[in-house]
Amino acid sequence: MRTLRFLLEKEFRQIFRNPAILRVIFVVPILQLLLLPWAADYEVRNIKLAVIDHDHSSYTRQMISKITSSGYFLLDQYTNSYKEALVDIEKNRADIILEIPAHFEKDLTRENEAIVLLSIDAINGVKAGLGASYLQSIIHDFNNEVRSKWIQLPRFNPEVNIDIRPSNWYNPLMNYKFFMVPGILVMLVTIVGSFLTCLNIVKEKEVGTIEQINVTPIKKYHFILGKLIPFWFLGIIILSIGLFIAWLLYSIVPVGSLFTIYVFAAVYLLAVLGFGLLISSFASSQQQAMLITFFLFMVFILLGGLYTPIESMPIWAQWFTRFNPVTYFIEVMRLVVLKGSDLSDITRHIITVFGFAIVLNTWAIISYRKRSS
Amino acid sequence: MSAVQAYGLHKHYKSGKASVEAVRNVSFEVSRGELFGIIGPDGAGKTSLFRMLTTLLLPDKGTATVDGSDIVKDYKAIRNKVGYMPGKFSLYQDLSVEENLEFFATLFKTSLAENYDLVRDIYVQIEPFKKRRAGKLSGGMKQKLALCCALIHKPVVLFLDEPTTGVDAVSRKEFWDMLSKLKAQGITILVSTPYMDEASLCDRVTLMQEGRFMTTGTPGEIRDSFKKTILAVRSADMFRLLQDLRSFKEIEDVYSFGESHHAVMKDGYSLVNMESFLASKGHTEIYIQTVPPSIEDCFMQLMQYPHE
């Protein structure tokens, strides 16, 4: 016990003497929470639109002003030539070309039908897809307006018309920050848990202090516990700072209890620490450790359901996400913060992540050797 | 019972397809209370040997015991009773002198106060800096701290891997003085060094090269085993002298040694021939004297002609 106490004392001393680690612990979460939620926005705005108008009628003018006043589009140019507009697309000055044919108004009034052309720069898939669908729905709206103006609709519409009224549960205003911020918190806890533990141990290897430790009669589990416990605490501290900032900046207050979040985080950190420990037993330099954790971390985050829903991933990727602890924490954070789930709702998550913790730590302890062959 | 006994210790490393024989079939014995020196150039296998004896590395072949405990089976026992000071300074640079000592004392379930007598001579020299972080100490101070840490648990056998590499001449001398004091307290010391001039400070030495022990014995024994004659030669132009000596047929080997050149002579050489040879080359102020072989002379010859 005395040995462990001393190990912990030494570890905390070293952490608090290392300004770099302190900065990582206190500045990084603040910066990430300040910046990322604004950048990781799913709504697409400021789509640059080039309009080719061959008709120059009042309808086209009405339609264009409806489009630009929606707030999603910026009018890049208004021209007569498709060629000119295409040059803008090539020069990346425009994202979408809307071509209105001659006789647009005439066709619409006489033939009850008119055609417009949308040419979309699909280099950025998200922008192209969302931009086109925004534009389509605006034009569709405009179409309805026009129809209602000059066809006197009967009081009861004879056409079958399905009107959709969505109601967003758990996040009524569909505020994407409400589900991004908890996800970013998960990222933070994961980084601290895995990176710091791993780098700390590998540093001992690099400097050679581990050699000096290995030649002492210290017990393997003492050494490992001495490494895990401090970073477990740091992880919990980061989470607390993160939750505080989320409340301060984005007024996100978990609907569920903080207790549930901390219980899960406590178990989750065990798994992440085990992961860092495992990498450290394979890496022989801090550089190697950084690269390995960085690569795996990217996979974990991208396949963790933070940015894209898991359900839309291919089956093999969905299988992978089941072995990804990050997935579970992101899910739990969203469940607790937005939906107010309690411990009984996330039992399955806790058990699974606890399983990861046991497997990873056992593996790490087995592969950590005090002597080499 | 000897402090260290090794039989046929063997270790090789594989890096890719290349296999490096670090330690080849090394057998030796170190008696209790002996100061045993392993002299060898970089890459001779000294560190691998020490790492095996301190249970940090498993040997491929061979057995060894340290203080009666087997290095493979009883590794736990060995860790309690040996002190190891690696060649590279490997204490916590961000902890103070005092904290480092206390930390390592705790790992051995002891304290600085308990074994203060043993480390006192060394510790008093670094005590004024006890609040300073280890990383901020000078090279000599670091080395003293490392020695203190290796001694803190009163080890039976002390392994010092190149303790004097990169340390100035004065500190080196001080360090060897400290070692003889420790020896007087009954601690068996194994020390490795690349400096041949330190060999004569040991009770027994061995020359290690390419993983093998070339010769082992007391410095006196090693000197006595050297049968050839060595001449110390000086002249006004030392640089040209070395080149000319190299071309002289009755010389086996010649190298500069301090102020003069040492020439290892072939059997049946003639001093008269040599003097006339040098005179014919235009050397002045020629001075030739027979000198007794030093340990360095012996090692130079062994390293040059290892298979003789």
Side-chain angles (χ1 to χ4, degrees), chain B residues 159-172:
Chain B
F159 292 89
L160 307 171
D161 192 6
E162 300 201 6
T164 52
T165 302
V167 175
D168 68 72
V170 177
S171 299
R172 258 170 73 184

Side-chain angles (χ1 to χ4, degrees), chain B residues 169-183:
Chain B
V170 177
S171 299
R172 258 170 73 184
K173 197 185 164 304
E174 270 178 26
F175 193 80
W176 279 94
D177 290 344
M178 284 191 279
L179 292 192
S180 41
K181 274 186 198 157
L182 289 174
K183 203 189 82 150

Side-chain angles (χ1 to χ4, degrees), chain A residues 2-3 6 10 13-14 17 204 206-209 211-217 370-373, chain B residues 11 51 55-58 71-72 75 79-80 84 86 88 90 92 94-95 99 103-104 106 108 133:
Chain A
R2 200 169 90 94
T3 315
F6 247 80
K10 168 217 145 216
R13 257 192 206 138
Q14 286 186 301
R17 274 180 199 174
E204 294 230 11
E206 229 176 50
V207 180
T209 43
E211 195 97 302
Q212 200 88 65
I213 295 262
N214 284 347
V215 82
T216 70
K370 280 182 75 178
R371 59 176 164 180
S372 50
S373 60
Chain B
K11 183 75 206 172
R51 282 168 52 88
T55 76
L56 289 171
L57 190 66
L58 284 167
I71 56 164
V72 180
Y75 64 95
R79 284 177 188 162
N80 271 310
Y84 175 45
K88 196 175 139 203
S90 36
Y92 293 98
D94 43 1
L95 293 184
E99 287 163 350
F103 177 69
F104 284 101
T106 314
F108 286 104
R133 300 214 180 145

